[in-house]
């Protein structure tokens, strides 16, 4: 079972920031928070990941709370092409679990003009 | 980023036939590959994990004799759906993981069984 909880859907106006929340209250100390997104009928696309520090790359920012029980993915200036299902996943990097990704239901983000 | 390809992108077959789907890592060596399937309006479900040169590890409820996985090289894994039936119609997606421990996904294969 997925170890994360996300709202099923969200809307965002084009050009505004999209803030996607994720709860992972049972996260273990060696588990990372990963975000992927899936545009309709395509394979998932990696966005960003982090352990406990906030992270930023060219696509997004990831804010992880100090207790690591929740996180927020921020798309600073959403465009219509950001419309997708966004998945928040906790994952052990390597080891016996082999880094498996277990997908939950994700958040369907609709960016509207 | 690393590139993973799948072939074919879509396939239609008759009930009872077998279908092979290829997953290739194009610019890196994949020590581990994963196979997922996704039904309409649902999330991805992990089917199996394959390591190069060894038998695949299947998730609970996935029939290993129905979904044959071969990972013969560090750049190629294949999934064969044997004796396919309409309920096997789905979107099959692979991912590949190299030494960086990051997973990169293929574009998916749409299987339709008539």
């Amino acid at each position: 079972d997925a170890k994360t909880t996300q709202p099923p859907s969200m809307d965002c106006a084009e050009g505004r920031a999209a803030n996607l929340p994720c709860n992972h209250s049972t996260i273990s100390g060696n588990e990372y928070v990963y975000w992927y997104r899936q545009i309709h009928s395509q394979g998932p696309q990696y966005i960003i990941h982090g352990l406990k520090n906030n992270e930023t790359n060219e696509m997004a920012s990831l804010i992880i709370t100090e207790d690591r029980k929740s996180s927020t993915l921020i798309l600073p200036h959403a465009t219509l092409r950001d419309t997708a299902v966004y998945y928040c996943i906790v994952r052990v990097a390597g080891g016996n679990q082999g880094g498996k990704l277990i997908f939950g239901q994700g958040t369907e983000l609709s960016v509207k003009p | 980023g690393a590139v993973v390809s799948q072939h074919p992108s879509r396939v239609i077959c008759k009930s009872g036939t077998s279908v092979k789907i290829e997953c290739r890592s194009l610019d890196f060596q994949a020590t581990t590959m994963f196979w997922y399937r996704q039904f309409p309006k649902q999330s991805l479900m992990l089917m199996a994990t394959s390591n190069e040169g060894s038998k695949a590890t299947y998730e609970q409820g996935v029939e290993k004799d129905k979904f044959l996985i071969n990972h013969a090289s560090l750049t190629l894994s294949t999934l064969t759906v044997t004796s396919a039936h309409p309920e096997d119609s789905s979107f099959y997606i692979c991912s590949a993981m190299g030494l960086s421990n990051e997973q990169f996904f293929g574009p998916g294969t749409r299987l339709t069984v008539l």
Side-chain angles (χ1 to χ4, degrees):
Chain A
D1 291 339
K3 296 174 66 175
T4 62
T5 305
Q6 298 176 252
S9 63
M10 290 182 65
D11 289 342
C12 177
E14 188 179 18
R16 305 298 294 266
N19 297 283
L20 292 89
C22 179
N23 285 319
H24 32 79
S25 59
T26 60
I27 192 169
S28 301
N30 63 344
E31 287 180 317
Y32 290 71
V33 180
Y34 277 76
W35 283 84
Y36 284 80
R37 72 180 182 185
Q38 185 180 26
I39 296 169
H40 183 62
S41 294
Q42 297 182 23
Q45 177 190 22
Y46 167 82
I47 302 174
I48 199 167
H49 76 282
L51 184 62
K52 54 184 177 180
N53 297 324
N54 297 337
E55 302 289 341
T56 295
N57 63 21
E58 64 278 5
M59 288 183 69
S61 294
L62 173 61
I63 309 298
I64 303 174
T65 58
E66 196 168 337
D67 63 7
R68 302 208 323 125
K69 292 185 177 182
S70 66
S71 60
T72 301
L73 178 74
I74 301 172
L75 307 178
H77 306 286
T79 70
L80 299 179
R81 286 183 293 181
D82 292 322
T83 293
V85 179
Y86 287 76
Y87 294 100
C88 168
I89 303 167
V90 295
R91 173 198 183 215
V92 176
N96 291 335
Q97 287 295 310
K100 291 197 291 188
L101 293 170
I102 305 298
F103 286 77
Q105 295 306 307
T107 295
E108 187 167 8
L109 175 69
S110 296
V111 181
K112 300 183 183 299
Chain B
V3 180
V4 177
S5 71
Q6 282 185 241
H7 178 80
S9 58
R10 56 181 64 233
V11 56
I12 300 172
C13 70
K14 292 182 179 179
S15 187
T17 61
S18 295
V19 175
K20 181 184 283 188
I21 302 170
E22 292 185 349
C23 176
R24 292 181 186 272
S25 56
L26 298 185
D27 50 2
F28 69 101
Q29 292 186 326
T31 51
T32 305
M33 288 186 171
F34 302 85
W35 286 95
Y36 299 79
R37 69 178 169 182
Q38 185 176 31
F39 293 109
K41 302 288 187 185
Q42 295 187 23
S43 185
L44 283 79
M45 186 194 81
L46 179 64
M47 299 175 68
T49 302
S50 78
N51 292 296
E52 185 264 339
S54 61
K55 289 184 179 180
T57 301
Y58 291 80
E59 295 297 307
Q60 192 171 12
V62 178
E63 301 174 58
K64 61 181 179 182
D65 294 331
K66 172 109 180 129
F67 300 100
L68 302 179
I69 292 172
N70 184 275
H71 192 165
S73 78
L74 286 172
T75 59
L76 173 65
S77 175
T78 59
L79 168 68
T80 301
V81 182
T82 63
S83 186
H85 288 94
E87 57 266 30
D88 298 322
S89 297
S90 190
F91 192 49
Y92 291 87
I93 307 169
C94 72
S95 70
M97 184 170 76
L99 294 176
S100 69
N101 245 5
E102 303 307 334
Q103 281 191 43
F104 301 94
F105 285 82
T109 296
R110 176 80 56 194
L111 170 64
T112 303
V113 185
L114 302 177

